[in-house]
Amino acid sequence: MRPKRKIGLVLLMMSLVLAACGGGQSKEQAGGNEGDQEKVKLTIWHNFAGDDLRAKSVRSFIDQFAQDHPEVTLDAQAIPPDGYRQRLSTVAAANEMPDVFFVYAGSQSAELHQAKLLQPITEVLDAHSDWKDKFLPGAFDPYEFEDGQIYSAPLGMSATSILYYNKALFDKHNVKVPTTWEEMMAAVKTFNDNGITPIALGNKAPWVAQSTIIGSIADRVTGTEWFKKAAAQDGAKFTDPEFIQALGYFKELVDNKAFQEGANSIDNTQAEQYFIQGNAAMMISGAWTLTNLAASSSEEQMKDIEVTTLPAIPGGKGEANTISGGAGGGLALSSRTEGKAKELALELIYAVSGPEAQKAIAESNSMVMYDTEIDQSKVTSLYYKAFNLVKSTGITPVYDAYLSAEAAEVINNGLQEIMMGGPVEGVAQKLQDAQARSATP
């Protein structure tokens, strides 16, 4: 009996202590005075942990939210990108998600939605329709898991097939910037005849040719819907004539020596330097090249560089004025966050993803999927050109964002095979077989 009496005394003492502290709330929660507002705890996790301008911009908007909302106790964790996915996977497995957290477009956000760990942010988008309406077409596609319900607003954009060209070399050799495939092949011939590599390519890591070239060329030939059906193995196959034709255009570049000798043995960074030093007239690459050249090249070198889209394909089913890419990551809301905490969490998402934040991220020389005006003096000349180009073009899929991991590896290696003289039909068959395996239950 004595242990029970001791427990009873302990409980009595605890109840007196709790009553003295204001019904179980800490002083922080209750406030020092009776009229103080109750504190709301919010957690936010993100991977903007670096010293780059983009990371600093995002963190500044989180800090500003904390200053503007004294009623919130904000636990903000900046986790380095290398470990971010694993940290998020760990808390997801335990169903202990932070209130607001950064998610990547694609498989990660889809898996979190399937596990019922997310809730839509549609209401904050609808509450700020002027903000919602200025996102570029396709910005919400990776995050609309049910019709009319959106689960994140992207903070960035992936643009992978910008055609960079050296205007000085084009002018010197009287070459027209290509807008048709015929003009592209004429440019390739002229530059080769004058001892200049037509297109710089560093395909040692074999994703480069896939991400920057084949997705964009193929979309012009097949159209986007065909590709999505082939990826889903629903009414289209990678052995269809239109895809064989698309691979044929890539092979035509190879056969006409559009790329420098040994392109499969040099990396993307080496190709960028080869291009910026004037050894190649063109380069097909992503927005990451803007950042790399800004860090490694002079403004004098970059002043002659212009950007455009790949040329049209004759008789193609796809649109010409497009760049392959898509929405980047954005902030998501935990399915467990409710009441006042949810209301403030949505405010936090708007604060970090809203018009001011999109503009600041764009002015950090980072692409956004948002139509904003930027101060030209705050960015490099090349970024400013590319930013305005991307705003005026359509966005088409990057192949490896839709293919299975096995199929993506097959097309990556297959393009290397074509560059070494391999047949396009064999690559198409292997790609079809790999994607069919992934689509089979």
Side-chain angles (χ1 to χ4, degrees), residues 223-238 240 397-399 401-404 407 431-441:
T224 301
E225 286 312 306
W226 178 91
F227 170 66
K228 288 184 176 178
K229 287 180 179 179
Q233 293 290 286
D234 181 17
K237 294 182 177 180
F238 288 105
D240 289 349
V398 183
Y399 264 46
Y402 285 78
L403 296 175
S404 68
L431 176 58
Q432 170 57 29
D433 292 345
Q435 191 65 9
R437 282 191 291 272
S438 74
T440 305

Side-chain angles (χ1 to χ4, degrees), residues 414-432:
L415 294 174
Q416 281 195 336
E417 289 175 25
I418 292 170
M419 290 173 69
M420 293 185 288
V424 297
E425 293 82 3
V427 172
Q429 185 65 61
K430 284 187 279 190
L431 176 58
Q432 170 57 29

Side-chain angles (χ1 to χ4, degrees), residues 183-412:
E183 290 171 353
M184 170 61 91
M185 298 315 299
V188 167
K189 182 178 187 312
T190 299
F191 286 121
N192 271 325
D193 288 347
N194 286 278
I196 297 164
T197 297
I199 303 172
L201 174 64
N203 199 46
K204 184 176 182 179
W207 62 267
V208 177
Q210 171 267 126
S211 183
T212 66
I213 302 175
I214 197 59
S216 206
I217 288 177
D219 190 86
R220 282 156 169 68
V221 177
T222 69
T224 301
E225 286 312 306
W226 178 91
F227 170 66
K228 288 184 176 178
K229 287 180 179 179
Q233 293 290 286
D234 181 17
K237 294 182 177 180
F238 288 105
T239 47
D240 289 349
E242 49 263 70
F243 186 67
I244 301 291
Q245 184 186 10
L247 289 177
Y249 281 107
F250 180 75
K251 184 169 171 29
E252 187 178 357
L253 289 173
V254 172
D255 291 347
N256 284 275
K257 302 189 184 309
F259 310 119
Q260 77 273 33
E261 196 74 32
N264 278 337
S265 60
I266 72 166
D267 64 31
N268 191 62
T269 302
Q270 290 172 299
E272 289 171 345
Q273 289 306 304
Y274 187 79
F275 169 71
I276 199 67
Q277 289 163 9
N279 298 311
M282 294 175 278
M283 180 173 61
I284 305 163
S285 193
W288 57 83
T289 288
L290 300 168
T291 307
N292 294 347
L293 292 182
S296 64
S297 309
S298 67
E299 189 66 28
E300 182 67 21
Q301 286 177 305
M302 286 197 286
K303 70 177 174 57
D304 289 328
I305 309 304
E306 299 289 339
V307 289
T308 186
T309 59
L310 282 169
I313 299 288
K317 297 176 185 175
E319 295 181 22
N321 189 37
T322 59
I323 290 172
S324 54
L331 296 176
L333 177 64
S334 168
S335 57
R336 297 179 66 188
T337 304
E338 300 175 336
K340 186 66 175 174
K342 176 183 174 181
E343 182 184 320
L344 287 161
L346 288 169
E347 282 191 43
L348 173 57
I349 289 172
Y350 178 70
V352 184
S353 317
E356 288 184 27
Q358 297 285 348
K359 176 179 168 65
I361 292 169
E363 289 180 344
S364 70
N365 290 289
S366 297
M367 286 289 175
V368 293
M369 270 200 109
Y370 190 80
D371 185 2
T372 186
E373 297 301 321
I374 60 174
D375 183 344
Q376 188 173 353
S377 68
K378 293 185 177 180
V379 297
T380 66
S381 60
L382 186 57
Y383 173 82
Y384 189 75
K385 295 169 188 175
F387 178 78
N388 286 303
L389 171 72
V390 169
K391 276 171 57 175
S392 65
T393 62
I395 303 298
T396 61
V398 183
Y399 264 46
D400 60 10
Y402 285 78
L403 296 175
S404 68
E406 180 193 0
E409 185 175 0
V410 165
I411 186 61
N412 289 353

